[in-house]
Amino acid sequence: IEESLILNSESDQYVFSHRNKFDVVVYYDQSSQGIHDESETLRNLKLAIYQLEFTKKLGRVPMLLAGGFDAWQEKIG
């Protein structure tokens, strides 16, 4: 995943490469309501950044943003 971010901004690349320094990593899609509703793509992303990552171990399991981006956008206006 990290190598595929080469087209993203340097700040995006920096944040992702230092994800192990954050207390919580949140992943999301457009509208998943919860972990039972998450797509295979989201499950694979969670595995890729948590369970399969040996060099940058996260302190806790990444959290799914319930309701996805749509719910977050509605909440903050």
Side-chain angles (χ1 to χ4, degrees):
I1 295 173
E2 211 165 309
E3 292 173 359
S4 69
L5 294 175
I6 193 70
L7 298 177
N8 289 52
S9 69
E10 286 185 27
S11 63
D12 286 350
Q13 293 177 49
Y14 178 84
V15 168
F16 188 80
S17 70
H18 290 86
R19 64 195 172 279
N20 60 317
K21 298 184 190 296
F22 291 93
D23 292 330
V24 177
V25 172
V26 177
Y27 67 106
Y28 62 91
D29 66 357
Q30 198 66 40
S31 60
S32 287
Q33 295 301 309
I35 59 171
H36 302 293
D37 183 41
E38 72 182 351
S39 66
E40 183 179 356
T41 302
L42 282 178
R43 280 190 299 276
N44 290 338
L45 176 63
K46 179 174 67 177
L47 288 173
I49 62 176
Y50 181 67
Q51 292 181 345
L52 301 178
E53 185 63 58
F54 299 112
T55 58
K56 293 187 170 120
K57 187 69 174 163
L58 300 179
R60 60 187 295 181
V61 176
M63 306 297 291
L64 176 66
L65 179 62
F69 184 77
D70 290 343
W72 180 74
Q73 189 174 30
E74 183 178 315
K75 185 80 170 171
I76 63 159

